[in-house]
């Protein structure tokens, strides 16, 4: 899960998808990173922590890190929260960029519409609740889609 600062959007996506995967019995390792590195070493934004906690998810122990080209060696699927993030990922990964592994996060719910998860960073708490709902719904779709594919492939 990749956004710009790795303190608002992608920590929520990491926390929510990891929680859903565990509850669905899926042995997935979900991680997150940011392309700008401005907040490296910091915990998530206090409003992301607050909104996640209100929904029963603890993201307070996450630590922001910068996205690196080595993430393409470590992970099978890499979700970009927005198109500007995708552009940054291309620049950072250089020759290691693997388009087969990359998806725009909301393409899982709205294929081909190139929708971005809005960045709540500059706004009030309301934006964090809205972003939580958007990310939560999309994570449900990721899990559902995986289960459907899994059933198809295992028949
Ligand atoms: P995020 O939000 O990408 O959802 O973590 C941001 C947080 C910090 C900055 C930009 C976006 N920043 O430029 O510091």
């Amino acid at each position: 899960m990749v956004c710009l600062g790795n303190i608002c959007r992608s920590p929520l996506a990491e926390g929510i998808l990891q929680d859903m995967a565990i509850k669905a019995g899926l042995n997935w390792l979900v991680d997150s990173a940011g392309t700008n590195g401005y907040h490296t070493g910091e915990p998530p934004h206090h409003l992301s922590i607050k909104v996640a906690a209100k929904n029963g998810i603890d993201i307070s122990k996450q630590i922001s890190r910068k996205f690196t080209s080595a993430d393409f060696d470590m992970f099978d699927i890499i979700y970009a929260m927005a198109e500007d993030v995708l552009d940054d990922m291309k620049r950072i990964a250089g020759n290691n960029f693997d388009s087969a592994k990359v998806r725009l996060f909301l393409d899982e719910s709205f294929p081909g519409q190139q929708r971005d998860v809005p960045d709540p960073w500059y706004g009030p708490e309301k934006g964090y609740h809205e972003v939580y709902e958007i990310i939560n719904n999309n994570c449900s779709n990721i899990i559902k889609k995986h289960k459907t594919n899994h059933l198809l492939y295992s028949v």
Side-chain angles (χ1 to χ4, degrees):
M1 301 295 184
V2 187
C3 63
L4 297 174
N6 190 212
I7 55 167
C8 299
R9 293 166 292 179
S10 60
L12 286 172
E14 175 190 333
I16 293 168
L17 190 64
Q18 186 69 79
D19 181 67
M20 285 183 182
I22 290 168
K23 286 175 177 156
L26 298 165
N27 186 23
W28 290 358
L29 172 66
V30 185
D31 195 13
S32 64
T35 54
N36 72 22
Y38 295 165
H39 298 273
T40 294
E42 296 177 17
H45 191 281
H46 69 99
L47 290 174
S48 284
I49 292 176
K50 179 179 172 180
V51 170
K54 193 170 164 275
N55 287 280
I57 305 222
D58 180 11
I59 63 166
S60 65
K61 313 237 170 12
Q62 290 184 31
I63 294 172
S64 175
R65 72 168 177 91
K66 193 171 192 294
F67 177 76
T68 75
S69 65
D71 283 315
F72 278 98
D73 305 322
M74 282 287 298
F75 296 99
D76 301 315
I77 300 178
I78 303 181
Y79 287 109
M81 293 291 126
E83 292 232 69
D84 56 350
V85 174
L86 195 55
D87 292 340
D88 283 349
M89 284 165 57
K90 283 183 187 154
R91 185 177 45 76
I92 291 166
N95 289 339
N96 222 21
F97 187 86
D98 181 352
S99 59
K101 289 188 171 182
V102 176
R103 321 244 191 294
L104 199 55
F105 182 66
L106 288 181
D107 260 20
E108 294 286 7
S109 302
F110 308 101
Q113 294 188 24
Q114 286 165 324
R115 288 202 198 185
D116 290 351
V117 178
D119 192 347
W121 165 245
Y122 298 101
E125 180 170 335
K126 184 168 172 278
Y128 287 79
H129 291 278
E130 288 164 3
V131 160
Y132 186 94
E133 284 311 310
I134 291 168
I135 292 176
N136 192 56
N137 289 338
N138 197 56
C139 286
S140 293
N141 286 336
I142 290 172
I143 296 275
K144 262 188 235 150
K145 194 168 153 184
H146 173 82
K147 284 191 159 172
T148 311
N149 287 345
H150 181 74
L151 285 175
L152 285 175
Y153 288 128
S154 61
V155 167

